[in-house]
Amino acid sequence: MTHQAWGQQWQPQPRQAEFVLPDELRGPFVREFTPTSAYRHQISQVAAVLYYRNGGHSVVTVRGAEHHNKPMMGRPTSVCWIARGRHQARFQLELPSRGDRSRFTAGADVNWEVQDFHLAAEKRVVDVERMLRPSLEARLRGISRRYGLDAAQEVDEAIQAELISGRWRDFGTELGLYTEVFIRIDLGRAAADHHAQMVAVQQGSEVQQAIDSANKARILANMEDAQKLISAGETVQYATLLAQDPSRAQDILVELQRQARDQRQGALDYLSNLINQGMVQRHQIDDQVQALIDYGRTVAAGVLPNGLPMAPTALPTPPVPPMPPVPPAAVHGTHPDAIPAPPAPQDDAADRPGHGG
């Protein structure tokens, strides 16, 4: 604590004849000082709480004194002045509506007077609003959250019923105060806020509808061009990208080259698999294509140790000719020789190039 703060807390005994309570008193705790001589209380606007070294205290007003463990010859070590009379704290509250979607504006008037001067001195109640507002808001929020912004009248009636229910008699007693609480819901403000909320919802809906309509119109306008672009193939698609953003020319060129390499390599791999599977004979391809295939195999040998990949598709194999029907007479014959033997397979070696002399 600084010397200045200590001096403000422990002030010398004031001249009581000159003291007047302010009209707007925030709390009952007025001041604390150290008496320089025997204390005599002479002012009716405040009560004096005297503290003694042994822990006892006295509450003194112009009407008399109440002593609690006062020493016989001891003088008070400090004196606290606590305001007497009835005073009022006036402030505004913001109470949440149902679902915390909005807030009710309410005016609060708390009439207070000190019931226990010693407790008010102990709690140092310098600001009634600051000390009572949290408890007041906690009690009222439980009521206001039951109603929407369009039910301000119902909120006001529910709060009034709560205030007169008798459950608020102890409000402020923990500070040594007796209180009367009055709450007023601002019905005009609530109606205006509700109207503004409805207008905002309507405008938001209209804006969203306009956005949806614009998106739908944009999609329909671009649909024909998109269909033409898809039908035109990759060449036109890449040309469109290049026209839209010429700075991407290098990236588009690299992608086209990569696709061309992949297509060539795929064709070579597919042809190689056809040869390996015997579906295409080596004499059926020209020397240039065969040289290209052999080169591809040499290059891929170190990269693909398991050989070239399988072909993505396979040529259809010729259907096996059905067996000729057996004559009925042969089926009912009694001799095994009556059933004709199937024709012997023909040797097509003569048709192979380089066979025979």
Side-chain angles (χ1 to χ4, degrees), residues 43-86:
I43 182 171
S44 62
Q45 298 183 59
V46 298
V49 179
L50 284 60
Y51 289 92
Y52 303 101
R53 194 177 302 276
N54 69 338
H57 70 275
S58 299
V59 178
V60 183
T61 67
V62 292
R63 295 182 178 180
E66 294 180 3
H67 304 292
H68 302 271
N69 195 23
K70 176 187 176 183
M72 292 294 296
M73 302 298 294
R75 292 196 303 179
T77 56
S78 67
V79 177
C80 296
W81 279 359
I82 307 299
R84 299 180 63 206
R86 195 171 184 84

Side-chain angles (χ1 to χ4, degrees), residues 185-354:
I185 297 294
D186 191 339
L187 302 180
R189 176 71 177 274
D193 291 344
H194 177 64
H195 177 71
Q197 192 178 70
M198 294 297 100
V199 171
V201 170
Q202 182 179 0
Q203 291 178 347
S205 177
E206 293 176 353
V207 169
Q208 187 61 45
Q209 290 179 359
I211 293 175
D212 294 342
S213 299
N215 289 336
K216 184 177 180 180
R218 178 179 56 81
I219 293 173
L220 292 176
N222 295 335
M223 184 67 70
E224 184 177 357
D225 293 339
Q227 291 175 345
K228 291 180 180 179
L229 185 62
I230 293 174
S231 302
E234 293 184 353
T235 302
V236 176
Q237 294 172 12
Y238 280 113
T240 302
L241 291 176
L242 183 60
Q244 292 175 349
D245 189 0
S247 63
R248 297 181 59 189
Q250 182 64 28
D251 296 337
I252 295 175
L253 179 61
V254 170
E255 178 63 21
L256 290 173
Q257 292 174 347
R258 184 191 65 77
Q259 291 185 6
R261 287 195 303 269
D262 292 346
Q263 292 174 356
R264 289 195 299 270
Q265 185 63 42
L268 291 176
D269 293 343
Y270 180 52
L271 186 56
S272 297
N273 280 326
L274 292 179
I275 295 174
N276 293 337
Q277 295 175 10
M279 297 181 180
V280 175
Q281 302 300 322
R282 294 182 179 274
H283 68 273
Q284 293 177 328
I285 59 177
D286 57 23
D287 296 338
Q288 293 181 352
V289 175
Q290 181 62 48
L292 184 60
I293 293 175
D294 294 339
Y295 175 74
R297 285 177 171 177
T298 303
V299 173
V303 179
L304 302 173
N306 296 327
L308 294 173
M310 294 297 294
T313 59
L315 293 176
T317 57
V320 178
M323 294 289 294
V326 179
V331 174
H332 297 286
T334 58
H335 196 277
D337 295 338
I339 302 176
Q346 297 181 359
D347 187 6
D348 58 350
D351 296 335
R352 299 176 184 171

Side-chain angles (χ1 to χ4, degrees), residues 81-121:
W81 279 359
I82 307 299
R84 299 180 63 206
R86 195 171 184 84
H87 306 275
Q88 185 180 76
R90 174 172 292 184
F91 49 93
Q92 280 196 334
L93 299 172
E94 296 292 331
L95 303 177
S97 63
R98 182 190 298 121
D100 289 344
R101 297 190 182 117
S102 186
R103 293 186 175 273
F104 297 103
T105 301
D109 293 335
V110 180
N111 294 339
W112 60 268
E113 61 180 304
V114 179
Q115 208 171 27
D116 188 334
F117 293 101
H118 178 250
L119 184 55

Side-chain angles (χ1 to χ4, degrees), residues 118-139:
H118 178 250
L119 184 55
E122 287 288 312
K123 298 298 183 180
R124 202 171 186 274
V125 186
V126 296
D127 192 329
V128 171
E129 174 190 346
R130 181 169 56 85
M131 293 185 172
L132 292 183
R133 176 189 282 268
S135 177
L136 181 62
E137 289 180 337
R139 295 191 182 199

